[in-house]
Amino acid sequence: MKRGLVIRIDAVVIFFFLCLPLSFQLTAAIHQERTVFMRIGQGSDLSQMTVYAVAQDKRGFIWIGTQDGLNRYDGYRIRVFKPDPYQKSTLASGFITALHVARSGDLWIGSRRGISCYHQKSESFSNFQHLAQKRGSSGRWTVLDIKEDPDGSL
């Protein structure tokens, strides 16, 4: 009788350990979220189809730099930022060549006319130009990349 009881207990233990991983997989499958991808292309509100830079900020916005403006995608719609010669706190150039999200949360934008910084709290831009550009040089000072060092300096 004891031998039959031992065999039954062993069978129950083996069955339990075989079914346990399956129950974890079923639980994971039930709680798994569906990932949906959406293509942004022609026919969307993207300012231009030639993309030079892409970055994602801490809020989850996708920033897309094109030849004709800076685009912010929130998962549903695109907002386009373009330079306005009549406003002081606007992009330096619409030809965006580089993007970098700093640890501070600010978005740094490289363009054909220097660097701009987008301040999310005020939704405004600050512009930084090369010294020769400030003196009236007609040359282009294209920024191709923006990096941040461990101290937080660009």
Side-chain angles (χ1 to χ4, degrees), residues 19-143:
C19 291
L20 188 62
L22 181 61
S23 69
F24 284 130
Q25 289 175 349
L26 288 174
T27 303
I30 290 169
H31 295 293
Q32 185 179 22
E33 292 183 27
R34 253 184 83 164
T35 303
V36 178
F37 291 94
M38 190 171 103
R39 183 177 179 189
I40 300 173
Q42 283 185 307
S44 69
D45 293 331
L46 199 62
S47 63
Q48 211 265 343
M49 296 306 300
T50 304
V51 174
Y52 283 94
V54 177
Q56 184 173 11
D57 68 16
K58 294 176 182 180
R59 292 180 172 177
F61 291 125
I62 305 293
W63 294 89
I64 304 165
T66 70
Q67 289 181 354
D68 190 29
L70 177 65
N71 301 262
R72 184 179 73 187
Y73 180 62
D74 65 5
Y76 299 100
R77 58 191 149 284
I78 296 172
R79 180 176 176 192
V80 179
F81 298 89
K82 292 186 179 188
D84 182 348
Y86 302 108
Q87 285 189 354
K88 193 173 189 175
S89 60
T90 186
L91 279 170
S93 168
F95 198 117
I96 309 303
T97 53
L99 296 171
H100 175 76
V101 178
R103 280 185 251 148
S104 65
D106 289 332
L107 176 71
W108 289 88
I109 303 116
S111 70
R112 284 195 164 176
R113 294 200 176 168
I115 296 175
S116 297
C117 181
Y118 177 73
H119 309 285
Q120 290 191 9
K121 291 178 183 175
S122 62
E123 291 200 353
S124 64
F125 294 89
S126 297
N127 296 305
F128 305 88
Q129 297 175 333
H130 190 277
L131 188 57
Q133 229 175 337
K134 288 183 179 180
R135 292 183 182 151
S137 171
S138 61
R140 290 196 173 157
W141 301 96
T142 302
V143 176

Side-chain angles (χ1 to χ4, degrees), residues 10-24:
D10 286 344
V12 169
V13 170
I14 291 171
F15 178 76
F16 177 75
F17 282 110
L18 287 175
C19 291
L20 188 62
L22 181 61
S23 69
F24 284 130

